[in-house]
Amino acid sequence: MEPAVTDHVEIKKYNHPTGGWGSLKSLIRNARDQGLLLSDIWSTLLKQNKADGYMCVSCSWAKPAKPRPFEFCENGAKATMWEQTRKRCEPSFFAAHSLTELLDWPDHDLEEQGRLTEPMRYNSTTDKYEPVAWPDAFGDIGAQLRRLDPNSVVFYTSGRASLEASFMYQLFARIYGSSNLPDSSNMCHESTSVGLPESIGSPVGTVQLEDFAKADMMFFFGHNTGVTAPRLLHPIEDARQRGVPIITFNPLRERGLVRFKNPQNPVEMLSPGPGTKMSSDFFQVRAGGDIAAMTGIAKAVLALDDAATERGANRVLDTAFIAEHTAGFVEFEAYLRAADWESIVRRSGISRADLEHVAEIYSLANAVIGNYGMGLTQHRHGTENVQMLCNLLLMRGNVGKPGAGVSPLRGHSNVQGQRTVGISEKPELVPLDKFQEFYGFEPPRQKGLDTVETCEGVIDGRVHGFVGLGGNFVRAVPETGLVEKAWRNLDLHVEVATKLNRSHLIPGKVTYLLPCLSRLEKENQANTFYRSRASSRNWRRRRSPARARSLGTTGLRTTLASATRSSAASRHISRTSTSAFSRRAVSIATSRRPSASGKPQTRRRTSNCPRRWKPIRISIFPAKMC
């Protein structure tokens, strides 16, 4: 297949709702394109996001306790088909194309070549990947790692791996001597992980699935729901049919939060109507103007409270909640009163009348969920964005009660779960003492490199080696041009992947591309995945491997550890090579911190979680309009 390189971009107008017949037609077309139309992929999809099936490889939206017959969305099904394609990227493909040539191909066309089938090593003389035997690849990678300072080697993780594979991967890195364990969370919701603990005492949201059925208003900030979490459209549609206001702020008028027609509802599908109107109000806020918009809403809520106080009516602010559960409100109130409407309107791009309209709706609601995506977090002031949304919710006590709370909408499947099993560059977030006790080695205690620091290290020469477990790191990070240019100075570049992407085309001095099984394909053990807004769950792999020469991520980690340090790493890693030890490993990684009484604390993310924790003070931080 030749690349479809073109300078002509055509944008077609689409007036239909998200979902509907367009969604079904798209699935059939995609199945045909991947050679799966008459295959068993349809029975596989019936097991997607089910207790006896497998976890979707696409978004991280929660899996309900009582799933629908078809518990998958269009994008989730496409992701499964894309991964289970019949297309194969054989060594003959690399023999026909140099890496310089492939760099001109669009990213889509690179992945469209299909599943990788053989371990490959880059030959700088021919500028091509060439097949290599697994033992030779592992032996050379191990030798290269032994020559490098562990502090100069980065072990990056994407969200596609199981928790067992992720646990073994970080254990291998720590036994090797490196704390450099960034993951894709650094590039999406790091602002959440930093901002929420300071505001509400938890790095994750406080909302569970049942809260969506109890909410009487919802905010959406910076989230393209129809693209990144389509199954969330079902509870939103239910809420709209109950008359619940949905207030959306997004520069892009994304179709999913405009209109939706449920493909699993025969009545809707056969109806000639335009589908359910999803947002009662949709405001196209200026990019980066979210703090200004939230400041305007909060300022208007404060004015409503002032008016209620003058009339002797019930307060709009939840003064009892503020007094009991928050700190710093006086400073925050002063910030709101000092903010001028002219600046708010100019920065947000939304009129004062519209923001006051939103504040009035908010003041009448008793249980409000604040949903947000990477439109808030992927900004220079992402942490402040997150904290300002918390401020808005805390003003009316919308944390710690049914139907209310802060709801960060994570992007990629299992990224958050990997944090629970040790994929983190922050030593304070990892049970290092437990590792030392159970595995008998001294883990490094210094802070490792996160994603940004990794990029800086590649550019300034401090990073000498990079091992990637999935993902498309070079393409995903900021300043791609600078990183690509410096990337070629790496002494070692190893990628473990199912399909070809642009990061694989930027070689270091020694570069390997290793194929692996996907999370759907059978390995020798069950695998666990984190279930956002719920709990972890064991998932059974259903599909046969794409190619016998591909290794599972768990076996690959063990073999690589053996090749790197036969006397230490392999001995420790081998202790997690069976299901029993893997379950023990995960339980160690997710063990609770002891309380003052010495008993483990259970920090459940239920709708009233702050009230169940050890008493805390929830801070409200004054935020500047950025």
Side-chain angles (χ1 to χ4, degrees):
M1 173 183 174
E2 290 300 316
V5 180
T6 177
D7 292 328
H8 175 67
V9 177
E10 182 180 359
I11 300 176
K12 296 181 179 179
K13 191 171 183 179
Y14 189 81
N15 293 319
H16 303 291
T18 296
W21 292 108
S23 180
L24 294 179
K25 291 176 183 178
S26 179
L27 277 187
I28 293 173
R29 184 169 59 250
N30 191 76
R32 182 194 63 214
D33 292 345
Q34 301 305 321
L36 299 170
L37 188 59
L38 301 179
S39 73
D40 62 350
I41 193 66
W42 308 107
S43 61
T44 298
L45 289 173
L46 290 176
K47 296 293 185 180
Q48 188 155 308
N49 297 317
K50 303 289 182 64
D52 61 341
Y54 62 94
M55 184 178 181
C56 178
V57 298
S58 184
C59 82
S60 64
W61 182 243
K63 288 74 189 168
K66 296 180 180 179
R68 299 176 180 84
F70 305 102
E71 194 55 57
F72 58 85
C73 66
E74 175 187 347
N75 284 359
K78 285 180 177 178
T80 298
M81 293 176 183
W82 189 254
E83 193 165 80
Q84 294 301 302
T85 180
R86 294 284 175 83
K87 300 174 183 179
R88 297 293 179 262
C89 190
E90 305 277 4
S92 57
F93 171 81
F94 293 104
H97 302 284
S98 69
L99 265 61
T100 300
E101 175 191 347
L102 292 175
L103 281 171
D104 289 331
W105 285 38
D107 296 66
H108 175 275
D109 293 336
L110 293 174
E111 293 200 32
E112 184 67 12
Q113 302 311 305
R115 291 288 297 275
L116 298 166
T117 62
E118 303 282 341
M120 310 292 288
R121 173 173 173 149
Y122 175 68
N123 185 331
S124 59
T125 302
T126 61
D127 190 31
K128 294 180 179 180
Y129 275 120
E130 298 175 351
V132 62
W134 278 111
D136 295 339
F138 285 130
D140 188 31
I141 293 170
Q144 296 294 332
L145 287 172
R146 288 195 297 272
R147 283 195 286 268
L148 294 174
D149 177 356
N151 292 321
S152 72
V153 181
V154 171
F155 294 83
Y156 174 75
T157 317
S158 79
R160 288 296 181 93
S162 69
L163 295 187
E164 281 81 2
S166 300
F167 181 89
M168 294 169 68
Y169 185 62
Q170 65 85 31
L171 188 62
F172 162 55
R174 296 184 196 282
I175 294 172
Y176 170 64
S178 176
S179 298
N180 301 327
L181 285 155
D183 76 341
S184 43
S185 178
N186 288 145
M187 291 181 277
C188 56
H189 271 274
E190 191 77 357
S191 305
T192 293
S193 300
V194 173
L196 286 188
E198 294 178 349
S199 285
I200 63 170
S202 169
V204 295
T206 65
V207 173
Q208 290 197 329
L209 282 178
E210 56 264 29
D211 289 311
F212 284 85
K214 300 172 183 177
D216 55 16
M217 179 186 171
M218 296 183 206
F219 284 114
F220 276 86
F221 283 90
H223 190 256
N224 298 329
T225 307
V227 175
T228 55
R231 288 186 301 119
L232 172 55
L233 295 174
H234 294 288
I236 298 175
E237 181 186 38
D238 293 341
R240 288 296 295 135
Q241 291 174 352
R242 299 195 314 269
V244 172
I246 306 290
I247 312 293
T248 300
F249 294 84
N250 199 340
L252 174 69
R253 195 171 171 82
E254 194 266 334
R255 199 68 182 169
L257 287 174
V258 176
R259 289 198 174 274
F260 173 62
K261 183 170 281 192
N262 189 347
Q264 299 191 37
N265 187 321
V267 175
E268 282 191 47
M269 292 293 285
L270 295 174
S271 168
T276 302
K277 181 182 178 182
M278 300 296 275
S279 293
S280 52
D281 290 282
F282 198 121
F283 299 104
Q284 290 182 270
V285 63
R286 283 186 176 179
D290 301 279
I291 286 180
M294 287 184 276
T295 296
I297 298 169
K299 185 177 179 69
V301 167
L302 195 61
L304 291 171
D305 184 72
D306 290 342
T309 302
E310 290 179 5
R311 297 193 311 270
N314 291 332
R315 298 286 298 273
V316 174
L317 299 180
D318 190 336
T319 54
F321 179 89
I322 291 172
E324 183 178 356
H325 293 291
T326 73
F329 181 74
V330 172
E331 294 85 351
F332 179 63
E333 180 182 5
Y335 157 74
L336 292 179
R337 295 193 185 282
D340 67 278
W341 276 108
E342 182 181 354
S343 298
I344 290 171
V345 170
R346 183 179 67 252
R347 190 67 189 89
S348 68
I350 302 172
S351 71
R352 176 176 178 174
D354 283 337
L355 293 174
E356 290 177 332
H357 164 70
V358 173
E360 187 170 356
I361 295 173
Y362 179 47
S363 70
L364 298 174
N366 294 314
V368 179
I369 294 176
N371 301 283
Y372 69 92
M374 287 183 281
L376 288 194
T377 62
Q378 287 192 323
H379 282 274
R380 182 180 297 275
H381 301 284
T383 299
E384 290 83 356
N385 283 338
V386 170
Q387 292 178 331
M388 191 64 195
L389 178 57
C390 289
N391 293 347
L392 187 58
L393 294 172
L394 292 170
M395 290 179 76
R396 289 190 38 76
N398 281 302
V399 174
K401 63 182 180 182
V406 59
S407 173
L409 300 172
R410 307 273 177 171
H412 196 243
S413 173
N414 215 40
V415 171
Q416 188 176 337
Q418 288 174 338
R419 291 293 202 189
T420 69
V421 295
I423 299 293
S424 178
E425 74 284 356
K426 300 181 179 70
E428 67 273 14
L429 301 182
V430 183
L432 298 180
D433 291 338
K434 288 286 187 179
F435 290 168
Q436 181 181 22
E437 174 188 344
F438 188 72
Y439 294 108
F441 78 101
E442 177 56 47
R445 304 280 174 164
Q446 74 276 11
K447 181 188 178 299
L449 302 178
D450 60 24
T451 294
V452 173
E453 292 164 340
T454 294
C455 294
E456 292 171 345
V458 170
I459 293 170
D460 66 26
R462 287 180 292 120
V463 172
H464 292 203
F466 182 93
V467 183
L469 182 60
N472 191 355
F473 184 88
V474 175
R475 198 59 156 170
V477 298
E479 300 292 353
T480 299
L482 287 176
V483 174
E484 284 192 5
K485 182 178 179 180
W487 199 265
R488 299 176 186 275
N489 297 323
L490 290 176
D491 293 310
L492 178 66
H493 177 201
V494 179
E495 295 281 1
V496 180
T498 57
K499 304 179 85 170
L500 185 65
N501 65 49
R502 186 176 178 85
S503 292
H504 307 156
L505 307 180
I506 315 296
K509 296 172 185 176
V510 176
T511 301
Y512 283 90
L513 178 57
L514 307 178
C516 68
L517 303 183
S518 76
R519 77 163 58 151
L520 277 68
E521 294 165 344
K522 295 176 183 177
E523 205 174 341
N524 292 325
Q525 64 180 54
N527 286 269
T528 308
F529 296 91
Y530 185 85
R531 197 160 64 126
S532 177
R533 292 174 178 79
S535 60
S536 62
R537 173 178 288 179
N538 288 331
W539 305 88
R540 295 288 171 182
R541 296 184 179 221
R542 292 278 166 180
R543 308 285 296 184
S544 298
R547 183 60 59 92
R549 291 270 287 168
S550 297
L551 294 184
T553 48
T554 49
L556 194 150
R557 296 299 104 206
T558 304
T559 311
L560 183 55
S562 179
T564 304
R565 283 189 178 179
S566 58
S567 62
S570 62
R571 181 172 68 251
H572 297 301
I573 294 289
S574 66
R575 297 185 69 182
T576 62
S577 295
T578 65
S579 295
F581 276 113
S582 292
R583 287 193 292 271
R584 170 62 173 158
V586 172
S587 69
I588 289 174
T590 57
S591 60
R592 306 299 184 189
R593 296 178 180 176
S595 64
S597 64
K599 296 180 180 180
Q601 294 184 51
T602 301
R603 306 201 338 165
R604 296 182 58 200
R605 290 180 295 117
T606 56
S607 58
N608 59 347
C609 61
R611 301 182 191 274
R612 294 191 178 189
W613 296 349
K614 182 178 178 181
I616 59 171
R617 295 285 285 175
I618 304 175
S619 298
I620 290 185
F621 292 87
K624 297 178 181 179
M625 287 184 293
C626 303

